[in-house]
Amino acid sequence: MNLTTNAPRTFPTAVTDVTVWDGATWREHQDVLLRDGAVAAIRPHENGTEGLDGTGAHLLPGFVNTHTHLQQATCRGVGEGQPLLSWLLAVGQHMAAVTPESAYLAAVAGALDGLRSGSTTLVEHMWPHPSEEVHAAVLQALEDVGVRALLGRGVADRPDPSRKWGFDPRLMQPLDTALDHVERLAATTRGTRVTPALAVPNPRSLTPEGLRTVHGFALERDLRISIHLLETSTDEDMCREHAGVGALQYLSDAGFLSDRLLAVHGVALTAHDVAALAAAGCAVSHNPVSNMRLGSGVAPVPDLLAAGVAVGLGVDGAASNDRQDMLETMRTAAYLQRATHRRADLLGFADVVALAVDGASSVLGLAQRPGGGVTVGTPADLTLVRFDRDFGCLPVLDPGAGLLTTGTPRIVDTVLVDGEVVVSDGRSTRIDEEELVAALLA
């Protein structure tokens, strides 16, 4: 299956006369100069500057979706209303039946859905799967859509059909076989917008020896690791029952905690756990919409930030969020913490956009943009929004407040990745969206 168009790729040399978020304030009437896929300069608008017309628009860096499962884009609504373990088993039935064709289609749909809400980078957390063709299909989808990505290759070494103390044996393979495949993925993706990573389903899925092996492999090859951690109390309960220690201690005893580890969810973290993550330099991916839908709870984001833990925002897969909408995730992240702590002054626009753009970048090995602002010298991964595309956002009294409280994918006009326009007028420049719709309905 191939859903790409033959349209020529466009690399503008500037975004002209635009209002730019610099990480602290909005700067009006600026020209953002682009060269070799990077932001080369930001200067006051000069008449005659050629490029993408930003008149009346607002420019931000592209958002970084720190956690998703693209293959779930074709199983929306599966397990609706079920608790986590039951939901996992329901989704697992679909993952066991995935084919290269369905994986490609789902990954294109999911990645493009994210791009259209301004997410220029995603961290794809693949479940373990024995088929290299399935992984190749996801990789091809990412390259066809044009998004920047960390492609997490799933690994596990403890089989358990119940998923309580291990992983689905139908999807597993020997750990050394999976790691050999990661080596080949690294060679295949070199020089592209996709970087391989390692994806661990949860602490229960790896033995202590497996944890040490995966950590050592990542350290030697400068790879990042993502792991579902304490999404509910299940990790804690199972680790205490089978290993005699809590989930964080189980990982720590194996030397698994490090500054290359992204812990996903973290809803059931204790104060001791937060301190352990901070001491090790780990980051946390906060997935508020998914946590709400599955009834998992609320992650202690203010406590994590106060302790110095890097926090990024994740959308999660379509089976637990249903959309790849980062603007919705930003708004939900703010509102959920405000409701939980009964404080309207928590997580304003500047705080949330910093989490969405730069929150976990240091741990993920991505270019850092202080304050989540457009930054000279960083890749030209940019999102241009036009509030007048949606009258529900008007009037714009404060661009940041408007983006946080009313922003939807409808206002995302243009998205650039590596200096290339991959979304124009809200539509993909690379994917035939009519063919995509037809394939999803077939």
Side-chain angles (χ1 to χ4, degrees):
M1 181 180 294
N2 188 316
L3 298 172
T4 58
T5 68
N6 294 320
R9 298 183 181 181
T10 303
F11 294 83
T13 56
V15 182
T16 66
D17 197 18
V18 70
T19 299
V20 179
W21 176 251
D22 67 3
T25 188
W26 293 100
R27 294 163 56 184
E28 297 181 343
H29 303 298
Q30 301 292 305
D31 291 338
V32 178
L33 307 185
L34 311 176
R35 185 181 307 118
D36 298 328
V39 177
I42 305 172
R43 70 185 188 196
H45 174 57
E46 297 179 1
N47 290 331
T49 302
E50 296 183 355
L52 178 67
D53 183 10
T55 305
H58 293 74
L59 189 70
L60 307 95
F63 307 128
V64 177
N65 174 9
T66 56
H67 184 66
T68 190
H69 304 280
L70 294 176
Q71 289 179 62
Q72 294 178 6
T74 52
C75 55
R76 303 181 195 277
V78 171
E80 162 59 14
Q82 298 181 28
L84 179 64
L85 280 178
S86 298
W87 174 86
L88 280 171
L89 292 173
V91 174
Q93 294 300 321
H94 286 260
M95 293 300 98
V98 71
T99 65
E101 292 75 19
S102 67
Y104 175 82
L105 179 61
V108 168
L112 182 52
D113 194 21
L115 267 182
R116 296 197 306 175
S117 73
S119 294
T120 55
T121 300
L122 60 85
V123 181
E124 164 64 2
H125 186 113
M126 290 189 70
W127 284 14
H129 198 285
S131 169
E132 294 191 11
E133 289 75 17
V134 164
H135 291 85
V138 173
L139 176 58
Q140 186 63 56
L142 294 170
E143 293 177 344
D144 286 353
V145 171
V147 70
R148 192 181 302 280
L150 271 71
L151 177 58
R153 208 288 190 190
V155 292
D157 73 342
R158 179 187 285 126
D160 178 10
S162 76
R163 296 288 299 271
K164 292 180 179 179
W165 187 240
F167 193 75
D168 188 337
R170 294 174 299 175
L171 299 173
M172 289 177 56
Q173 58 191 151
L175 190 55
D176 58 353
T177 300
L179 295 179
D180 285 345
H181 184 218
V182 175
E183 293 267 28
R184 280 177 273 125
L185 283 173
T188 300
T189 58
R190 193 168 292 118
T192 73
R193 297 175 190 171
V194 179
T195 302
L198 295 161
V200 181
N202 48 54
R204 314 184 310 269
S205 297
L206 281 176
T207 62
E209 182 178 352
L211 288 170
R212 287 188 286 271
T213 297
V214 170
H215 171 75
F217 182 89
L219 185 64
E220 291 173 3
R221 293 156 180 82
D222 194 27
L223 300 177
R224 270 53 192 180
I225 308 170
S226 67
I227 181 171
H228 295 93
L229 179 64
L230 291 164
E231 184 172 358
T232 65
S233 63
T234 300
D235 286 338
E236 187 75 5
D237 296 342
M238 291 295 102
C239 284
R240 289 196 178 280
E241 178 180 337
H242 293 277
V245 295
L248 256 292
Q249 193 63 50
Y250 178 71
L251 297 177
S252 180
D253 288 349
F256 198 71
L257 303 181
S258 77
D259 60 1
R260 64 186 59 249
L261 182 67
L262 178 73
V264 180
H265 297 298
V267 170
L269 291 167
T270 66
H272 179 77
D273 295 335
V274 170
L277 292 174
C282 306
V284 168
S285 171
H286 177 41
N287 294 251
V289 178
S290 173
N291 297 156
M292 291 171 64
R293 184 185 165 198
L294 293 177
S296 301
V298 182
V301 173
D303 294 343
L304 287 162
L305 295 173
V309 178
V311 177
L313 295 184
V315 171
D316 212 342
S320 63
N321 183 341
D322 309 289
R323 294 299 305 271
Q324 293 292 295
D325 185 349
M326 182 59 86
L327 292 167
E328 177 190 49
T329 294
M330 292 166 63
R331 179 160 50 252
T332 304
Y335 288 4
L336 185 58
Q337 295 298 329
R338 294 178 189 184
T340 300
H341 296 276
R342 300 187 180 185
R343 285 182 51 189
D345 61 344
L346 280 178
L347 295 182
F349 166 74
D351 303 311
V352 174
V353 77
L355 298 183
V357 169
D358 196 47
S361 293
S362 59
V363 169
L364 294 173
L366 300 172
Q368 295 181 251
R369 298 170 174 84
V374 178
T375 305
V376 173
T378 60
D381 298 354
L382 303 167
T383 296
L384 186 80
V385 300
R386 294 188 181 275
F387 289 102
D388 58 5
R389 292 173 62 93
D390 183 354
F391 67 83
C393 298
L394 303 177
V396 182
L397 304 180
D398 176 330
L403 194 74
L404 179 63
T405 62
T406 68
T408 71
R410 289 190 294 272
I411 68 172
V412 176
D413 182 271
T414 306
V415 179
L416 289 80
V417 177
D418 215 22
E420 177 193 351
V421 175
V422 292
V423 171
S424 179
D425 193 25
R427 297 176 65 84
S428 175
T429 62
R430 285 172 160 238
I431 299 297
D432 187 319
E433 294 190 13
E434 284 73 23
E435 286 193 17
L436 173 60
V437 169
L440 288 167
L441 292 174

